[in-house]
Amino acid sequence: MSTLNLEIFHERAAAAEQEIAFLKKEIELLRQSITSNNSKIHSVPKDEYSKLEQENIKLKHRVAILKRTIEAERGKTQSGMKTTETCNATSIYDTLFDLFEKAISAVYPNISNPPVIITSSNNPKFGDYQCNSAMPLTKQLSSIGIKTSPRDVANNIMSKVEESALISKLEVAAAGFINIYLKQEFAQTILSNLVKTGKMFPPYTKKQKVIVDFSSPNIAKEMHVGHLRSTIIGDSIARLLEFLGHNVLRINHVGDWGTQFGMLIAHLQDRFPNYLTVSPPINDLQSFYKESKERFDGDEEFKQRAYNCVVKLQAFDPDMIKAWQLICDVSRKEFEKVYARLDINLKERGESFYQKHMEALVKELESRGLLEEDEGRKVMWGKRDSNQIPLTVVKSDGGFTYDTSDLAALKQRIEEEKADWVIYVTDAGQSMHFQVLKSCAECAAILKSCHRMDHVGFGVVLGQDKKKFKTRSGDTVKLNDLLDEGLRRAFDKLKEKERDKVLTEEELKMAQESIAYGCIKYADLSHNRNHEYVFSFDKMLEDKGNTAVYLLYALTRIRSIARAANISQEKLQEIAQNTPISLEHEKEWKLAKVLIKFPDVLNKIVKDLYLHQLCEYCYEISCAFTEFYDSCYCVEKNELGEIVNINMGRMLLTEAAAIIMETCFSILGLKPVARM
């Protein structure tokens, strides 16, 4: 089956999944109506009682029809899977959830919103997954006068679980836990098709327009370690959503507007009076900024000129705009150097872009009576509760604030960009700001129930002293300096391992960059983003444990197995057409079960946007692979080092592991190399 046909199938399957999701929502609304009717039945006159009962019968009939429709859609999808032989994007969790939800509803149709609790098992004695719904269901049944035991409930549920290509067997254990054992044939199909196509298809998802707002440095200031986490986390979130097929717009909301630009322009006019005709040689914008700031703080006449420049700039005076553009261009080139090194793409859209939008927004909010006067300011309230604060939309001097630009930006993104989902990646200290922004956007009907808005907060980067990461002199660490230090340390590490003696000059440079930038990214992403983390090159460059160095080396090692056996990836694709993946050994089966969890790992991250889970998954793959490789030979050699036997079933399993690890690395922004 060609890749094009596979992609067409996945588009059709995704459409079916969207229809199923819509039907499920409709079922949920109907169930809520049934529950509401049930609560009314005992407190209404007899003539209304029969009406409510009849309405409930109709609603339950509608639920049954919708469930049959869902099954029909599922059938189409599964039929398509058989036809195209592609199961590699199947979510085990979603499949089990649907099977047990249907079984529970069949056994206990009068229980509204029954609990469907599916968990993975860490002990193979208790299955690969478990359904733990029996206990809470027993309590619900007891509340309506039905006395039973969790074990009986579990047996009843198990009796109604339909036969599935996923499940080998079910068993009830202890006090009502249902142990679920997966079929090896299911994993073989998924992993074989993965090797046949040579790529990992994403799990089904409803395609959306997503805007990811991240990095966001200030013009005329160098990027420093404070921008590190937003840049790395934001890029990885964008990569994940792009892999899933969403239409992602990566926005760099730079600080390129405001008082400081009047200050910079006034200083530019004094230093380079012919700036309109000759491009000023500003080589060190940071020093230029410091000079202008000193003048602004100590010279009243200069300060007044700076304010006048701001007024002219915001009125789009041509000479002011020219000066502003010159300053922005110098700064932008410096930003691009950092982004190029980290392989990060962004579309710059600074605060200046929203000037006209802010003006229109204020007029609209005033006309709708959504602004209040507060000591000369104009503020907007969202939901008024004890923790809420207002947005300051217009300052007492008539100027706009970050609140104004953020609300205007959100409005523009939803109404003009047609965004379904907006994600902001900033430090956790801005959490309250985004709560208020969201609340006000909802009150203004900018943000509706069909939209999703997330603030992805994160803790600060600490130094070895557990204080905010600074240089020895107390200055903020520049990002370019940090990357340079990473390159130096990576090179030293490679020399220590004597890799400079076996790698070509080009291979050594590629390995150096892969390790340096990879270890900085991975150290950030592997921590729960809510927590602070200590920046330590020594720990980042360790070649054991859950580090980028270890994982990059692990992938290189996996890839080297086929290379040593003189088998290309194209050849493995051919072999996979007729050779089953070997899953007979317990370590083979253990590795396979880790690999087929990939869609569920991604689905979980999409819900909560915690990327450390993907790092933990990469480490889990590498550990399972090590156990497999230590116990199961792939290539057998004689005493002379000559290959005497190749286990093709295991080579295919090795290839599947490499493809999934490479996909994970791509999402995390890591660049593996062929030789390290």
Side-chain angles (χ1 to χ4, degrees), residues 53 112 127 157 189 194 266 278 303 315 320 400 439 508 562 607:
E53 276 205 322
S112 60
I157 294 169
T189 303
L194 176 61
V278 179
K303 180 183 283 191
M320 297 298 108
F400 299 144
S439 181
L508 186 64
K607 289 175 184 174

Side-chain angles (χ1 to χ4, degrees), residues 250-269:
R250 300 151 160 259
I251 291 288
N252 198 9
H253 188 85
V254 298
D256 67 346
W257 209 239
T259 304
Q260 72 270 28
F261 284 92
M263 176 182 83
L264 288 162
I265 292 168
H267 190 52
L268 181 75
Q269 289 174 326

